[in-house]
Amino acid sequence: MTDQFDFESFKQAAIKGLYEGKPLTGENGLFAPLLKHFLESALEPGRRSKGMDSHLGQTRQTGQNRRNGKTTKTVKSSAGLLVLTKPRNRSGTY
């Protein structure tokens, strides 16, 4: 992820949204940014997740598949459509 998730800003915006009567979940709910951050963190390689590392370890025996930057993916969730930034590999198999 290129930008850090600012939990304090999220918390302040969520509290303000609660006072304004905005929903917690669902389309454009207050928890959508937190869900987006959680999903991106789960996909991110390194100490947070072994997903990409495990995947590349399995494919490395058959070819030279390596990390290749980031890409975006739109996923449908209970919080509506979320545009996630996820790691990419050369073969595009992750």
Side-chain angles (χ1 to χ4, degrees):
M1 289 181 322
T2 56
D3 56 313
Q4 290 293 95
F5 182 75
D6 185 2
F7 183 75
E8 287 302 316
S9 294
F10 164 76
K11 185 170 73 170
Q12 294 301 319
I15 291 170
K16 181 180 177 191
L18 284 173
Y19 284 121
E20 293 172 355
K22 293 182 180 177
L24 291 175
T25 59
E27 190 78 27
N28 298 318
L30 295 173
F31 286 155
L34 187 62
L35 179 60
K36 175 181 167 38
H37 173 69
F38 173 77
L39 293 172
E40 287 178 340
S41 295
L43 292 170
E44 191 68 29
R47 62 186 162 96
R48 294 183 185 155
S49 169
K50 300 296 182 199
M52 174 70 96
D53 293 335
S54 174
H55 177 72
L56 288 177
Q58 293 169 2
T59 60
R60 194 167 286 148
Q61 289 97 12
T62 60
Q64 292 297 317
N65 194 7
R66 302 258 191 267
R67 285 189 178 88
N68 190 20
K70 305 232 182 234
T71 187
T72 59
K73 180 164 186 92
T74 303
V75 296
K76 190 185 258 186
S77 75
S78 61
L81 295 177
L82 297 174
V83 179
L84 303 179
T85 303
K86 65 180 195 75
R88 174 176 65 194
N89 60 0
R90 287 185 183 170
S91 299
T93 57
Y94 183 69

